[in-house]
Amino acid sequence: MSVEMVELTVKAPEPARTAWVLQQNRVFLDFFWDLAKPDQEIRLKAVESLIQYLKTNNKADEHDYTIKRLVDGLSHTRETARPGFSLALGHVLSAFEDISLQSILDRIKEKHNLQTVKKKLVRNALFGNLFGVLALHQSGRLSKEPLVVLGCVQLLQSLTQHRQHLKDLPSKTMVDILTEIPEEVFEEVLLTTLKTDLASAFNTPEQMQLLLVALQRFPQTLKPNKLKKLLGSSTIINADNIPKLTEVLKTAANSVKKECVLPTVALDLLKLSLKEDSFQLFWSKAIIDGMLKQQPGPTYYLSFRLLGSALPLLSLEQLKEVLSGEVMERYGEHVLSAQKPDRFKLAPEMDVFVSDFLQSCEDSDKQLVVMVAFSSLANQGYPVVPSVWKGVQHLQPAALQNYVLWLKNMFTRPQLDQLLDFSTRKQKVNQEEQEQKEVVFRLRKWIVSRLTSIIDNHQVKKQEDLIMDVARFVFFHAFFSTKKATEDITETTEKLSVPVDDKTRTALVTSFFGLLLSMHHLPLTEDSAEGEAVGQKRVLGVTADGTLWIHHVAQFAQLLLHQPKFVQSSRPFSAEQKQAWDSMMESVAKLSKKAKKDQTAESKAFQQLFLLVGMHLFKAPEELLDIMKDLQSCVDNAQQTKTKKKKKKPATGKDEEPDWVEVMVDILLSLLSQPSRHIRQVCKTVFSSICPHVTAAALTAILDVLDPETDNEEDGAMIITDDNTDKTQKKKSKDEYDDDDDDDDDEEEMVEETSDEDSDNDEDDEAMEEDEEEDDEEEEDMEGEVVDQSFRLELMKVLQQQDALATEEDEASDEDLDDEAMMKLDKGLAALFSEQKKKSQAKKDEKTKLQREKSLVRDFKIKVLDLIEVFLARQAGSPLVLGLVEPLLLLIDRGMSSDSNQQEQDFLRRAADIFRNQLCRSKVYCRTVGDRQGELHDLLHKLMTKAQKLSDSSVSLYYFSASLYVMKVLRGAPPPADTAEEKTAESELRFMGNMDVDRVSGVFRDALTSYMKRRKSPLTTQMFTDLFNRFPVLCVNLLDTAVEHITSGVKEHQQGQACVLVLRAMQSREVQKLLSGAPWTELSVKVTSQLTESLQQVSETESKVVKEKVLKTLELCQYLVKQVHHQKLSVDLEPLQQALQLLPTVISFKKTGKMEDTYWAVVKHFGVVKPKVEKIKPDKDADKAAVPKKKKKGFLPETKKRKKRNIPDLEPAGERPAPADKPGVNKGQAKKKQDKKSKQKRPAAQGTAAGNPAKKSRTQSESNPAKKKKKKPTHK
């Protein structure tokens, strides 16, 4: 009783205080509502506001109420609310230190007592205790009150038994508490309490983590002798404890299987092993012999993550040991097997580990060890890490230099025994051991890709010497070999232990030209870039002294060619080719000298082209020899032409047109057919520099290539190379011949190869099934084809020779062939069908070849479009641009009707973009028409005629845009006026330059009439709107035609569009200026008359087209009436007003919308106001009375119910409430009687509670008359 009295005395005043708080401040209570909201931002803001409010007011009642609400909220049913209340409680305790933590802990235990709480609320109470301890911990005052620390730890220990709800959260909270308390508190207060947990550290990962944190925080308390008493040994990691530690790590690995993270206990054990000098024991026994002996899964992933996390912690010797052990080998197998789809890939995590280590490590030796170790992890010679690796960019200069040296040494002298090479399970079973040459080839191919990727990565800190060293190395081994060592050529001093075979040389050649492209885009190094001006344009592809990178490579090639005693070319030059090379180098030297005197983009572009073609001589000397000769003579002629112009010598008509430009364009077109993105970019640069010299003939040569009529003619044959010499180039056509992408393609091929080697037998079965399906498809194709008559005759002959052909006289199965005859027949049929299959395959190959050739032609044309784009960008004001209009339109027109594959779409999209953005929308255009006025007018007429005949509106739009461009050229720019008075706005508006206004107006008048008179026209209203906006003079001339078609349009749609055109024209300020005065009044009269007639034509209909026309008409009426009233024009609007008054009788405005609003806006100008509709408030009582009382399921209708009568005898005795003093008397008997009577008399009232069923049904139906019930289904 005393306890109950105490509780009553404490709790009695609370309701009054709560009511007082509710009455005092509603804002204060809203803080607690916000704490329970799911949005984290709102919760954090509520915590800050609550603390600020309590500090400002500082009322004891509010403090008490806050503590109560926050403690109660710790066990909130909403999971997102608990952290909010816990955080708020922690901040309150931190802000108000006068609040005792012990009292708060007692409140938490009392409120969330697990012994007294209801069973269904146990989970909430568990979280209430946990979040309460977290709040005390977050207050920052826990270390000041040791007894509270003890109470919190004891409470957490009791919570650890409920893992099904809390998992490992109590243990983590204990660890967090240990990290903040001082060692004295731990030794005096917690050690005894935690003794059981510390002694059982090998049971669970949580208890092991608790022990490891205690060892880190309190080494003086947990000395070796203390550990020996607790655990039986003075150290954690020893030979006896290894099995226990292995089990703990396995449990930890499985516990984070879904989170995909490294357990903290594993990393702490690793750190402890380094501290106890037992790392080798831990790694070899616990990790290698323990974790890796399991099946691949979580234990493997823990080992791999532990390896990545351990990199910053290990010494140089430990790094070498770990990175060359079994964990790395298993990691390599995982990377290889994870290439298959739908498999977990840990490689991205390892990349992050390695990148973080390289970025934070300043020891170049450790960086080098890690890079070499991961580069040495190979599957039959091919490293499993990708050749393009971002981690390289964090290497120190010394580490990068040594790493490149290691790569070069591995290339020249492959030391396969130094590689951590492994074979997959299937490779071992199938004994698929690669030959040494193949292994060396795979290794060298990866090394070259890695070297080029280092140069291509601009984030890598590298010096110019390193870049040139890599370029020389790749070029030398791609095209040369050593005969005798010499100090002048450092590449000859390193002899190859295994000669470079043809496959490796092919990969080297491809990588070299990709390297040239990377050097072409290479920015200046950091040392040389420091001296640049801030506003100076960024220079690419040159060294610090301004020399092109490719020029340095060419000089090295020149050195090699002049040392035949020491080096030997893999494809020696002939005398003619050697002469072409020498002349090229002389020309480059001359151009470089001139460039130093007068730096021009043209000379630099010619140097790049010369050098690039010269470097390609090593790859395909026969193909590029003629191009080199033509280029040489072309540049010479160009220089001579410039000299003649400077000396101002008289020239003939032929000399005025520099023929060298045409030759140069042909050379560029030939080079564009080469599979190289570097050549493509250089060709664009060169063509950009010679654009001012381009002639009509040169431009025609480019347009001839793009002509759709020449797809299957000789221009296609120019691109397609021989199958035997250039198969790989054809395969690259889809990738736009990117040399720099070849390394990635090779990488993907090798990954696919190694992945296929590791595939299971099931995949082999699937492959066999796919082959069978392909064979079935081939058979179906053969069945679907028309049988060749010659094949039928041959088949008949074979059957007749063996007497196997059935005749009418033969019976079905009386006589069969003997075995010998049957064998002969089988051989004959096999040979015949084999020959037929070869013919069918040949046809398919021919079809594939034609498709490939077509793809090559299309890809080539996409490249040629680059030249058109460059010309339009550089020479947009040239008269030659006018000759591009029709060819580009023809390309777009044919492209719309051609194949819909991706390449065709790309080509069409590119051509349309160039035509629209570079040509039609260009601000620079030809302003000197000269004597081509008649030609341009004819072109305009031709374009508009074509635009009206097309069936596709999108193509017609391009033709219409071209017409507007031609008109812009004809008009030109207005001449500058001598005085400001002469230069008036109206004169500028009326200026039309060289345009024949009457002729052009006639062309567009015919087009507008065609648009209004045809039901299906490719022209659109937007086209004529653009015409009116750009050329107001033509708009004035075409207005009469547009006004006429307000009533004479072929259909309602055209009539409505005529209204739109007239409205846009009248709204134009330029048109208003041109028609100011009497013409404007006259136009208003005509429009008014047409509008009146149009409205009178409207008949009763519900057609959407008619309503749309009426809407457009009303919009024009609104603007017209407004202008007439505003400008006070002498226009008779009475007929229009009458027509408007009759409109509602014809078309009913059912719903409020744009048409009705526009109509009332128009008639408002005539003084007619829209009538207001009085809103009548509905009578709630009447509505309730009017709502029919629907029949409800399980209840009687009102008409069937008995009236309320006080006849107590009719009520069953069993339904009367039992007296309080006699509970349960005759309870069972009364219930039986009730059930019996309810079944017999009132089946609709079954399932109701005790009491009068009729009375309850009546009260429910009266209280909820408007509720809807589901109707019973009627059964017929």
Side-chain angles (χ1 to χ4, degrees):
M1 291 297 293
S2 61
V3 175
E4 292 179 358
M5 290 300 294
V6 171
E7 290 182 356
L8 288 174
T9 55
V10 173
K11 294 182 180 180
E14 284 188 1
R17 186 163 60 246
T18 304
W20 177 83
V21 173
L22 284 171
Q23 294 174 1
Q24 282 294 108
N25 193 352
R26 185 67 192 175
V27 177
F28 172 63
L29 298 178
D30 288 341
F31 296 146
F32 303 101
W33 286 96
D34 292 341
L35 288 174
K37 290 185 177 179
D39 190 355
Q40 184 179 2
E41 297 295 331
I42 297 177
R43 295 201 303 268
L44 293 176
K45 188 175 180 180
V47 172
E48 296 177 1
S49 302
L50 177 62
I51 300 300
Q52 188 66 30
Y53 179 86
L54 293 176
K55 287 182 178 180
T56 304
N57 293 347
N58 197 16
K59 296 180 180 179
D61 292 336
E62 292 178 346
H63 286 195
D64 295 341
Y65 181 76
T66 300
I67 296 297
K68 177 183 178 304
R69 282 291 299 268
L70 294 180
V71 172
D72 292 349
L74 295 174
S75 62
H76 203 286
T77 55
R78 192 183 302 168
E79 294 184 359
T80 56
R82 299 167 192 158
F85 284 100
S86 176
L87 181 64
L89 181 59
H91 280 71
V92 168
L93 296 177
S94 177
F96 302 96
E97 296 187 0
D98 55 336
I99 302 176
S100 172
L101 296 185
Q102 185 64 48
S103 63
I104 301 300
L105 181 60
D106 294 340
R107 279 199 180 195
I108 293 171
K109 291 180 179 180
E110 179 185 356
K111 177 63 181 178
H112 310 294
N113 191 350
L114 299 177
Q115 305 298 328
T116 60
V117 73
K118 295 181 180 179
K119 187 176 182 180
K120 63 180 181 180
L121 299 178
V122 169
R123 175 181 170 84
N124 295 339
L126 289 172
F127 278 103
N129 286 300
L130 176 65
F131 281 104
V133 176
L134 286 174
L136 295 173
H137 171 61
Q138 290 171 351
S139 67
R141 298 166 47 194
L142 204 56
S143 59
K144 300 177 182 178
E145 299 187 23
L147 295 179
V148 179
V149 175
L150 178 62
C152 290
V153 171
Q154 290 175 346
L155 181 58
L156 291 173
Q157 285 177 331
S158 65
L159 295 179
T160 53
Q161 303 172 5
H162 305 276
R163 286 189 60 87
Q164 68 273 21
H165 297 298
L166 302 178
K167 297 183 180 180
D168 58 345
L169 292 177
S171 301
K172 289 183 177 180
T173 307
M174 279 193 283
V175 170
D176 294 338
I177 292 175
L178 290 183
T179 55
E180 292 193 1
I181 62 174
E183 190 165 2
E184 295 78 9
V185 175
F186 174 77
E187 184 176 3
E188 296 174 1
V189 178
L190 292 184
L191 184 59
T192 306
T193 305
L194 295 176
K195 185 175 182 181
T196 305
D197 291 328
L198 296 177
S200 57
F202 293 101
N203 293 344
T204 62
E206 292 80 13
Q207 292 171 329
M208 174 59 69
Q209 179 66 22
L210 189 67
L211 174 62
L212 294 177
V213 172
L215 284 173
Q216 294 174 6
R217 290 281 299 154
F218 318 114
Q220 299 300 325
T221 302
L222 296 177
K223 292 182 179 180
N225 54 357
K226 197 72 170 179
L227 282 178
K228 192 169 184 179
K229 293 180 181 179
L230 287 173
L231 305 174
S233 60
S234 58
T235 58
I236 304 296
I237 301 175
N238 51 52
D240 297 334
N241 293 337
I242 287 296
K244 302 176 185 178
L245 289 175
T246 304
E247 293 301 323
V248 170
L249 290 175
K250 289 178 183 178
T251 306
N254 291 317
S255 65
V256 296
K257 182 166 55 175
K258 294 182 179 180
E259 290 79 3
C260 297
V261 294
L262 176 67
T264 310
V265 65
L267 187 59
D268 288 344
L269 281 174
L270 177 70
K271 294 178 180 178
L272 183 63
S273 66
L274 294 172
K275 184 179 180 180
E276 293 181 354
D277 198 17
S278 57
F279 171 75
Q280 188 173 4
L281 174 66
F282 172 75
W283 191 261
S284 60
K285 299 298 181 181
I287 302 300
I288 296 178
D289 294 342
M291 305 294 284
L292 296 184
K293 297 305 179 183
Q294 305 295 316
Q295 291 295 326
T299 56
Y300 277 52
Y301 303 147
L302 182 143
S303 304
F304 302 153
R305 293 188 179 103
L306 190 60
L307 170 65
S309 302
L311 294 178
L313 307 174
L314 303 180
S315 63
L316 188 63
E317 296 299 326
Q318 290 171 341
L319 279 174
K320 292 180 180 179
E321 178 184 356
V322 169
L323 294 176
S324 60
E326 191 173 351
V327 178
M328 278 289 286
E329 187 174 345
R330 295 291 179 270
Y331 172 71
E333 294 177 359
H334 162 75
V335 173
L336 204 63
S337 62
Q339 298 297 333
K340 300 175 186 177
D342 301 330
R343 288 205 178 183
F344 174 71
K345 298 176 177 58
L346 194 130
E349 296 182 40
M350 186 62 74
D351 291 345
V352 174
F353 284 131
V354 177
S355 297
D356 293 344
F357 164 73
L358 295 175
Q359 190 173 5
S360 61
C361 180
E362 298 181 357
D363 189 349
S364 59
D365 294 335
K366 288 186 178 181
Q367 288 184 336
L368 180 62
V369 167
V370 172
M371 288 300 301
V372 170
F374 278 93
S375 301
S376 302
L377 182 60
N379 170 243
Q380 296 186 351
Y382 196 87
V384 298
V385 295
S387 58
V388 181
W389 213 18
K390 292 184 179 180
V392 183
Q393 67 192 31
H394 303 301
L395 290 178
Q396 300 289 336
L400 180 62
Q401 185 75 32
N402 293 329
Y403 180 60
V404 171
L405 182 61
W406 179 84
L407 290 173
K408 290 165 59 179
N409 291 335
M410 287 297 291
F411 182 92
T412 54
R413 294 189 298 272
Q415 300 175 4
L416 302 180
D417 55 337
Q418 293 185 2
L419 296 177
L420 188 59
D421 200 272
F422 64 91
S423 298
T424 61
R425 176 176 52 83
K426 187 177 180 181
Q427 289 170 348
K428 294 176 181 177
V429 171
N430 299 337
Q431 298 180 352
E432 295 178 358
E433 295 295 335
Q434 300 279 356
E435 297 181 359
Q436 184 180 6
K437 291 184 178 180
E438 184 66 20
V439 173
V440 171
F441 161 71
R442 290 159 61 89
L443 176 61
R444 283 176 169 174
K445 189 174 183 179
W446 183 90
I447 289 174
V448 174
S449 299
R450 171 58 64 90
L451 287 173
T452 54
S453 69
I454 291 174
I455 305 302
D456 186 56
N457 191 348
H458 296 171
Q459 303 298 325
V460 178
K461 301 176 183 179
K462 47 188 177 292
Q463 303 297 328
E464 291 186 353
D465 294 340
L466 179 66
I467 299 171
M468 196 59 210
D469 187 28
V470 172
R472 285 166 56 110
F473 179 83
V474 176
F475 175 77
F476 178 83
H477 292 288
F479 300 107
F480 291 89
S481 58
T482 304
K483 294 172 63 177
K484 184 179 179 181
T486 176
E487 295 180 356
D488 297 336
I489 306 173
T490 55
E491 285 74 18
T492 60
T493 57
E494 299 292 337
K495 293 184 178 180
L496 296 174
S497 60
V498 180
V500 177
D501 56 358
D502 294 337
K503 290 172 62 177
T504 307
R505 201 174 295 278
T506 302
L508 282 165
V509 171
T510 303
S511 299
F512 170 71
F513 286 105
L515 181 61
L516 281 184
L517 178 62
S518 301
M519 297 170 73
H520 178 67
H521 295 288
L522 203 62
L524 292 174
T525 56
E526 293 184 357
D527 298 337
S528 56
E530 291 177 357
E532 290 189 30
V534 177
Q536 190 175 355
K537 186 178 178 180
R538 191 181 184 188
V539 182
L540 301 178
V542 298
T543 57
D545 58 355
T547 307
L548 293 170
W549 278 109
I550 192 174
H551 194 188
H552 286 290
V553 180
Q555 289 175 345
F556 177 65
Q558 179 80 349
L559 173 64
L560 296 179
L561 290 174
H562 287 79
Q563 297 288 344
K565 295 182 179 179
F566 303 101
V567 295
Q568 181 181 2
S569 176
S570 58
R571 300 181 66 178
F573 282 168
S574 63
E576 190 177 9
Q577 294 166 357
K578 183 66 168 60
Q579 184 181 359
W581 170 268
D582 293 336
S583 62
M584 182 272 295
M585 292 299 294
E586 292 176 2
S587 300
V588 171
K590 292 178 182 179
L591 289 172
S592 60
K593 287 182 181 179
K594 292 182 179 180
K596 291 179 180 179
K597 298 178 182 179
D598 184 16
Q599 292 184 357
T600 59
E602 185 177 347
S603 61
K604 185 178 179 181
F606 279 136
Q607 287 185 58
Q608 288 182 345
L609 186 60
F610 261 127
L611 293 169
L612 188 56
V613 175
M615 299 312 298
H616 274 80
L617 276 176
F618 290 95
K619 181 180 180 181
E622 295 83 3
E623 298 177 10
L624 296 176
L625 179 61
D626 294 335
I627 294 179
M628 178 65 78
K629 292 180 180 179
D630 294 339
L631 183 61
Q632 181 69 43
S633 60
C634 182
V635 173
D636 293 340
N637 292 335
Q639 297 297 328
Q640 291 176 6
T641 303
K642 287 185 178 181
T643 305
K644 289 179 181 179
K645 287 182 179 180
K646 288 182 180 180
K647 293 181 179 180
K648 296 182 181 180
K649 287 185 179 182
T652 60
K654 294 182 180 180
D655 292 333
E656 292 177 359
E657 296 181 358
D659 296 335
W660 64 271
V661 175
E662 301 171 19
V663 178
M664 178 61 73
V665 168
D666 291 337
I667 293 172
L668 296 179
L669 292 175
S670 301
L671 290 174
L672 284 176
S673 64
Q674 296 293 323
S676 172
R677 191 168 61 152
H678 192 185
I679 289 181
R680 181 179 180 179
Q681 294 180 356
V682 172
C683 286
K684 286 178 63 176
T685 305
V686 173
F687 187 75
S688 176
S689 64
I690 66 172
C691 272
H693 310 290
V694 171
T695 61
L699 199 59
T700 303
I702 298 174
L703 295 175
D704 289 342
V705 175
L706 296 174
D707 189 2
E709 300 294 338
T710 60
D711 278 353
N712 299 322
E713 296 179 4
E714 294 181 356
D715 289 336
M718 176 184 63
I719 307 163
I720 300 162
T721 55
D722 189 10
D723 291 339
N724 296 329
T725 58
D726 205 10
K727 289 182 180 179
T728 56
Q729 294 176 359
K730 291 181 180 179
K731 292 180 181 178
K732 298 171 195 171
S733 62
K734 296 180 181 179
D735 297 329
E736 292 189 8
Y737 302 117
D738 295 348
D739 283 340
D740 57 338
D741 293 341
D742 291 339
D743 297 339
D744 299 337
D745 297 339
D746 297 337
E747 189 75 37
E748 293 175 2
E749 290 175 5
M750 297 306 293
V751 169
E752 290 175 1
E753 178 183 348
T754 52
S755 177
D756 292 340
E757 290 172 354
D758 192 37
S759 61
D760 298 325
N761 295 328
D762 296 338
E763 296 183 359
D764 296 338
D765 297 339
E766 293 175 2
M768 293 174 65
E769 292 176 2
E770 291 176 359
D771 295 339
E772 292 175 1
E773 291 176 0
E774 292 177 359
D775 295 339
D776 296 340
E777 291 176 359
E778 292 178 0
E779 291 176 2
E780 291 176 0
D781 295 339
M782 293 180 66
E783 289 174 1
E785 296 176 355
V786 179
V787 179
D788 189 5
Q789 195 65 27
S790 60
F791 173 68
R792 177 179 290 178
L793 294 175
E794 292 293 334
L795 181 60
M796 296 284 288
K797 288 181 182 179
V798 173
L799 294 175
Q800 287 175 357
Q801 289 175 1
Q802 302 298 329
D803 295 332
L805 188 63
T807 61
E808 295 180 356
E809 299 176 355
D810 295 337
E811 295 183 358
S813 59
D814 290 344
E815 296 182 0
D816 294 332
L817 296 176
D818 57 2
D819 293 342
E820 184 178 356
M822 186 63 72
M823 291 296 293
K824 290 182 180 180
L825 179 61
D826 288 344
K827 289 182 180 179
L829 291 175
L832 179 62
F833 279 99
S834 176
E835 186 67 23
Q836 181 65 18
K837 188 174 181 180
K838 289 180 181 179
K839 291 180 181 179
S840 177
Q841 186 64 35
K843 290 180 180 180
K844 289 184 179 180
D845 294 342
E846 184 67 21
K847 184 179 180 180
T848 304
K849 182 179 179 181
L850 291 176
Q851 291 177 350
R852 188 180 298 161
E853 290 175 356
K854 186 177 180 180
S855 176
L856 286 168
V857 171
R858 182 63 61 206
D859 189 80
F860 173 66
K861 290 188 176 184
I862 291 175
K863 294 180 182 180
V864 174
L865 281 177
D866 292 345
L867 304 184
I868 299 294
E869 185 178 15
V870 170
F871 185 77
L872 288 173
R874 295 295 304 273
Q875 295 294 116
S878 173
L880 297 177
V881 173
L882 299 174
L884 299 176
V885 175
E886 288 186 281
L888 288 176
L889 286 174
L890 184 61
L891 279 180
I892 296 171
D893 191 6
R894 295 294 177 86
M896 288 289 188
S897 58
S898 62
D899 298 335
S900 60
N901 56 28
Q902 186 62 38
Q903 197 179 29
E904 293 287 345
Q905 292 179 6
D906 293 341
F907 178 70
L908 175 62
R909 191 180 298 110
R910 184 77 190 284
D913 179 73
I914 291 173
F915 178 81
R916 182 176 58 251
N917 297 325
Q918 302 293 334
L919 180 63
C920 295
R921 296 181 181 177
S922 176
K923 295 181 179 180
V924 182
Y925 57 91
C926 177
R927 300 174 185 268
T928 56
V929 178
D931 56 348
R932 301 182 62 182
Q933 301 175 16
E935 180 184 349
L936 291 178
H937 282 89
D938 294 339
L939 176 61
L940 177 62
H941 185 271
K942 182 179 179 182
L943 292 175
M944 285 306 303
T945 304
K946 180 70 173 177
Q948 299 173 50
K949 294 181 179 180
L950 293 169
S951 59
D952 192 350
S953 180
S954 59
V955 181
S956 180
L957 177 61
Y958 286 102
Y959 277 87
F960 199 91
S961 301
S963 303
L964 297 181
Y965 172 76
V966 173
M967 292 171 61
K968 181 171 67 173
V969 173
L970 281 171
R971 182 179 62 179
D978 297 335
T979 60
E981 297 178 357
E982 296 179 4
K983 191 176 181 180
T984 60
E986 187 174 353
S987 62
E988 289 184 1
L989 288 175
R990 294 189 180 277
F991 175 79
M992 297 302 289
N994 297 316
M995 186 189 301
D996 187 349
V997 179
D998 295 336
R999 182 179 177 182
V1000 174
S1001 299
V1003 171
F1004 282 98
R1005 187 177 293 108
D1006 294 341
L1008 181 57
T1009 304
S1010 172
Y1011 173 53
M1012 293 297 173
K1013 293 297 184 182
R1014 291 173 58 185
R1015 295 187 178 183
K1016 292 184 179 180
S1017 175
L1019 303 178
T1020 61
T1021 304
Q1022 186 60 40
M1023 297 180 186
F1024 290 100
T1025 304
D1026 293 341
L1027 173 67
F1028 290 175
N1029 293 333
R1030 296 187 186 185
F1031 302 97
V1033 175
L1034 293 179
C1035 175
V1036 172
N1037 295 343
L1038 298 178
L1039 256 179
D1040 291 339
T1041 305
V1043 172
E1044 291 175 3
H1045 289 93
I1046 292 178
T1047 56
S1048 61
V1050 65
K1051 282 289 185 181
E1052 286 81 1
H1053 174 72
Q1054 281 76 9
Q1055 295 173 11
Q1057 295 305 311
C1059 294
V1060 174
L1061 285 176
V1062 175
L1063 177 60
R1064 298 291 178 265
M1066 296 184 70
Q1067 288 176 339
S1068 174
R1069 293 185 178 181
E1070 291 81 3
V1071 174
Q1072 294 175 8
K1073 291 179 181 178
L1074 292 174
L1075 292 176
S1076 60
W1080 182 257
T1081 305
E1082 182 181 354
L1083 175 64
S1084 300
V1085 173
K1086 290 181 180 180
V1087 175
T1088 303
S1089 175
Q1090 291 291 322
L1091 289 176
T1092 303
E1093 184 179 352
S1094 176
L1095 291 174
Q1096 292 173 352
Q1097 292 176 355
V1098 178
S1099 59
E1100 294 185 7
T1101 181
E1102 294 296 329
S1103 174
K1104 291 184 179 179
V1105 179
V1106 175
K1107 290 185 177 181
E1108 182 183 359
K1109 171 207 168 182
V1110 173
L1111 176 61
K1112 304 299 181 186
T1113 307
L1114 289 175
E1115 290 177 350
L1116 180 56
C1117 288
Q1118 182 183 3
Y1119 179 79
L1120 177 65
V1121 175
K1122 182 180 178 182
Q1123 291 298 319
V1124 169
H1125 288 169
H1126 179 69
Q1127 300 178 9
K1128 298 179 181 180
L1129 302 177
S1130 57
V1131 180
D1132 185 12
L1133 297 177
E1134 186 175 352
L1136 179 61
Q1137 182 179 359
Q1138 294 176 357
L1140 287 170
Q1141 290 176 354
L1142 298 175
L1143 187 61
T1145 62
V1146 181
I1147 296 181
S1148 59
F1149 303 132
K1150 292 183 178 180
K1151 296 180 180 179
T1152 58
K1154 190 173 182 181
M1155 182 184 295
E1156 184 182 4
D1157 295 341
T1158 308
Y1159 172 78
W1160 289 112
V1162 175
V1163 298
K1164 185 179 180 181
H1165 294 288
F1166 296 104
V1168 180
V1169 183
K1170 182 179 179 180
K1172 293 184 179 180
V1173 181
E1174 296 183 2
K1175 295 183 179 180
I1176 302 174
K1177 295 183 178 180
D1179 190 0
K1180 295 182 180 180
D1181 298 334
D1183 290 344
K1184 287 184 178 180
V1187 173
K1189 297 181 179 179
K1190 296 184 179 180
K1191 183 178 180 180
K1192 300 181 181 180
K1193 185 178 180 181
F1195 296 94
L1196 292 172
E1198 294 293 333
T1199 57
K1200 299 288 186 179
K1201 290 181 180 179
R1202 292 184 178 183
K1203 294 181 181 180
K1204 187 175 182 181
R1205 293 180 294 177
N1206 296 324
I1207 304 177
D1209 297 337
L1210 296 178
E1211 185 174 342
E1215 295 179 355
R1216 294 176 181 176
D1221 56 344
K1222 295 180 180 181
V1225 178
N1226 298 329
K1227 183 176 180 181
Q1229 187 177 0
K1231 187 173 182 181
K1232 289 180 181 178
K1233 291 181 180 179
Q1234 173 191 353
D1235 294 341
K1236 187 176 181 180
K1237 289 185 179 181
S1238 62
K1239 288 180 183 179
Q1240 292 176 356
K1241 295 182 179 180
R1242 298 182 181 88
Q1246 288 181 0
T1248 57
N1252 192 344
K1255 185 185 296 184
K1256 188 163 186 179
S1257 66
R1258 182 166 60 251
T1259 55
Q1260 287 186 0
S1261 62
E1262 290 174 357
S1263 61
N1264 300 322
K1267 283 188 178 180
K1268 295 182 180 179
K1269 295 292 182 178
K1270 295 182 181 179
K1271 295 182 179 180
K1272 294 183 179 180
T1274 57
H1275 301 281
K1276 294 182 180 180

